Amino acid sequence: DVVLTQTPVSLLISLGGQASISCRSSQSLVHSNGNTYLHWYLQKPGQSPQLLIYQVSNRFSGIPDRFSGSGSGTDFTLKISRVEPEDLGVYYCLQRTHNPYTFGAGTKLELK
Amino acid sequence: EVQLVESGGSLVQPGGSLKLSCVASGFTFSNYWMDWVRQTPGKSLEWIGEINTDGSKTNYAPSIKDRFTISRDNAKSTLYLQMSNVKSDDTAIYYCTRKGGVDWGQGVMVTVSS
C-alpha cells in the first residue's frame, strides 16, 4: 500500500500567519493516465472532512485562494496564508492513484 | 443540496454482523461512484471501498476484504455496507462519500465490544 507521510504532526500558527504542510508518498502518485490524484482535506472539530484541494493544486468550489497546493511525483505541499480562525482543525492528504487509496495521518493546525 | 445520511450504527459483539445504510439526496445517485471511509478512535482515516454506478464493480481495502460488502439500491438512492465477522479494530465512525470524497455524510458510530 502507498504510505503518505504528513509533516509536521501539529502546527502552532498565529492569526494572519502562514502554514505549510508536507505530504510525502512512498511511491509516485502519477497515474497511468498522467493525472496525479493527490487531494487535501480539512476536518474541523466535530465535523466530517471537507475537500479543499483536488489533484494537487485545484481549489474546490468555495475554497478561498488563501489555500494553495503544489508538488509532483512523491512530494506535495499545502500552504495556508493569512490563517483565520475557521482554518483550525486537522488537515489530511489522500491519494487516489493507487488502490487501496490511503490517507496521511493528519496535521493539526492550532492557534498560537 | 447534496445530502448523505448514514444510519445503522450500534454496539456489536466481536464476530457479529451489522449493515449500515447511507441515504442520498440532492443529486442523481445512480450517476456517481460511492465510497465508504472510516475514522478510528485514534482519529486516522481509512478508505474501506468503493462501488461503481450500477453496483457491478467494487474495490475494497485489504484490511476488510472478504468481511465487508458494499452494495447499492439506485431505486432507493441508498448505499449499503454489510459488515461481517467484525473485530474490535472495526470500531470507528463510518462515512459514506460521493464522487471520490467530494461530499461526505455526517458519519455513524460502530462499536465492536463484548
Side-chain angles (χ1 to χ4, degrees):
Chain A
D1 298 1
V2 173
V3 176
L4 297 181
T5 302
Q6 275 186 246
T7 54
V9 172
S10 64
L11 268 176
L12 281 174
I13 301 291
S14 301
L15 285 177
Q18 177 167 302
S20 181
I21 301 171
S22 169
C23 178
R24 290 189 170 172
S25 174
S26 60
Q27 58 184 276
S28 173
L29 297 184
V30 180
H31 193 275
S32 57
N33 65 13
N35 292 326
T36 300
Y37 298 102
L38 186 284
H39 315 312
W40 289 96
Y41 291 82
L42 166 60
Q43 186 172 31
K44 298 180 182 181
Q47 297 185 18
S48 305
Q50 63 179 98
L51 180 63
L52 299 173
I53 302 284
Y54 64 96
Q55 292 185 43
V56 181
S57 59
N58 300 283
R59 274 187 302 277
F60 184 59
S61 174
I63 301 302
D65 60 8
R66 301 184 293 101
F67 292 87
S68 63
S70 62
S72 63
T74 60
D75 287 353
F76 304 91
T77 301
L78 174 71
K79 289 187 177 176
I80 311 154
S81 60
R82 305 182 304 279
V83 167
E84 298 185 5
E86 60 263 31
D87 300 338
L88 304 183
V90 182
Y91 290 80
Y92 296 95
C93 52
L94 162 67
Q95 69 82 20
R96 290 184 68 99
T97 296
H98 302 287
N99 197 314
Y101 311 136
T102 49
F103 288 86
T107 296
K108 188 172 187 179
L109 181 62
E110 298 175 290
L111 279 181
K112 191 180 291 184
Chain B
E1 178 194 2
V2 171
Q3 280 202 318
L4 300 169
V5 179
E6 301 94 339
S7 62
S10 71
L11 172 65
V12 57
Q13 291 190 338
S17 298
L18 195 64
K19 189 171 187 176
L20 306 183
S21 300
C22 170
V23 176
S25 60
F27 65 99
T28 304
F29 181 72
S30 58
N31 287 352
Y32 292 92
W33 285 62
M34 300 292 292
D35 295 60
W36 285 98
V37 174
R38 67 185 180 184
Q39 187 163 35
T40 62
K43 301 302 185 182
S44 62
L45 292 163
E46 180 184 13
W47 176 79
I48 293 173
E50 63 184 353
I51 187 167
N52 70 344
T53 55
D54 66 4
S56 62
K57 181 176 172 61
T58 51
N59 294 308
Y60 297 99
S63 61
I64 57 84
K65 199 172 183 180
D66 299 330
R67 297 191 301 120
F68 291 7
T69 302
I70 298 174
S71 62
R72 65 192 296 161
D73 184 336
N74 285 344
K76 295 182 178 180
S77 295
T78 302
L79 176 71
Y80 301 102
L81 178 66
Q82 176 69 54
M83 306 169 64
S84 303
N85 189 23
V86 296
K87 308 173 183 180
S88 58
D89 289 350
D90 296 323
T91 294
I93 297 171
Y94 286 76
Y95 297 98
C96 65
T97 81
R98 179 185 83 109
K99 206 177 173 184
V102 171
D103 299 294
W104 295 59
Q106 85 287 351
V108 64
M109 185 70 204
V110 173
T111 302
V112 181
S113 175
S114 54

